[in-house]
């Protein structure tokens, strides 16, 4: 009876896990200036289709993704990579920015970066 219970629990638990997951790996804290490139490493788990595009998005200054801004793209179906993004000109200074990676085929919203990044003011001459 105990073996049957373990098999049922394992089968039920396996169905709770998503088929694909994207983990945004740690990003250097910065500070970054608007217009500056940023490297966004990520790990994708599962199968992603040919033609997939990974997109890195930047949160608002408070870490919310409701109106996120795409900052970089990578055409790939590989399970990991680095997206080279660009902090958009006009980004307000702040220390609570987050980045996450989204895939297109299938559509998966990845986890936010485990640390906030800082965006400084625009450089002056």
């Amino acid at each position: 009876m105990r073996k049957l219970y373990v098999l049922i629990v394992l089968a039920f638990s396996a169905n709770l896990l998503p088929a694909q997951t994207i983990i945004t790996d740690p990003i250097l804290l910065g500070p970054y200036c608007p217009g500056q490139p940023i490297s966004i490493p990520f790990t994708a788990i599962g199968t992603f289709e040919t033609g997939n595009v990974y997109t890195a998005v930047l949160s608002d200054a408070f870490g919310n993704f409701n109106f996120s801004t795409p900052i970089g793209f990578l055409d790939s179906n590989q399970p990991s990579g680095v997206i080279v993004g660009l902090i958009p000109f006009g980004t307000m200074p702040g220390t609570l920015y987050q980045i996450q990676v989204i895939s297109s085929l299938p559509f998966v919203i990845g986890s936010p970066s485990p640390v906030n990044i800082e965006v400084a003011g625009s450089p002056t001459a």
Side-chain angles (χ1 to χ4, degrees), residues 17-18 25 31 52 56 71 74-75 81 93 95 121:
L17 298 174
D25 297 327
N52 178 58
I71 60 170
L74 178 63
D75 295 330
T95 59

Side-chain angles (χ1 to χ4, degrees), residues 20 22 48-49 52-53 100 102-110:
Q20 292 88 7
I22 303 171
F48 293 83
E49 300 171 30
N52 178 58
V53 176
Q100 71 186 74
I102 300 170
S103 67
S104 63
L105 293 173
F107 179 73
V108 176
I109 297 173

Side-chain angles (χ1 to χ4, degrees), residues 3 21 34 42-43 48 59 69 88 94-95:
K3 288 182 183 180
T21 302
F42 68 93
T43 303
F48 293 83
S59 72
T69 303
T95 59

Side-chain angles (χ1 to χ4, degrees), residues 2 7 9 21 23 32 41 59 72-74 76 91 100 104 108 113 118 121:
R2 184 177 179 142
L7 287 175
V9 169
T21 302
I23 301 164
Y32 296 92
S59 72
F73 304 92
L74 178 63
S76 175
T91 301
Q100 71 186 74
S104 63
V108 176
S113 54
E118 179 180 354

Side-chain angles (χ1 to χ4, degrees), residues 14-96:
N15 289 334
L16 294 178
L17 298 174
Q20 292 88 7
T21 302
I22 303 171
I23 301 164
T24 306
D25 297 327
I27 298 168
L28 294 177
L29 301 176
Y32 296 92
C33 293
Q36 184 176 0
I38 181 171
S39 294
I40 303 137
F42 68 93
T43 303
I45 300 167
T47 303
F48 293 83
E49 300 171 30
T50 300
N52 178 58
V53 176
Y54 292 109
T55 303
V57 296
L58 181 68
S59 72
D60 66 16
F62 303 102
N64 298 315
F65 288 98
N66 295 337
F67 300 102
S68 59
T69 303
I71 60 170
F73 304 92
L74 178 63
D75 295 330
S76 175
N77 64 344
Q78 297 301 307
S80 65
V82 175
I83 299 170
V84 177
L86 191 69
I87 302 297
F89 287 103
T91 301
M92 300 301 296
T95 59
L96 299 177

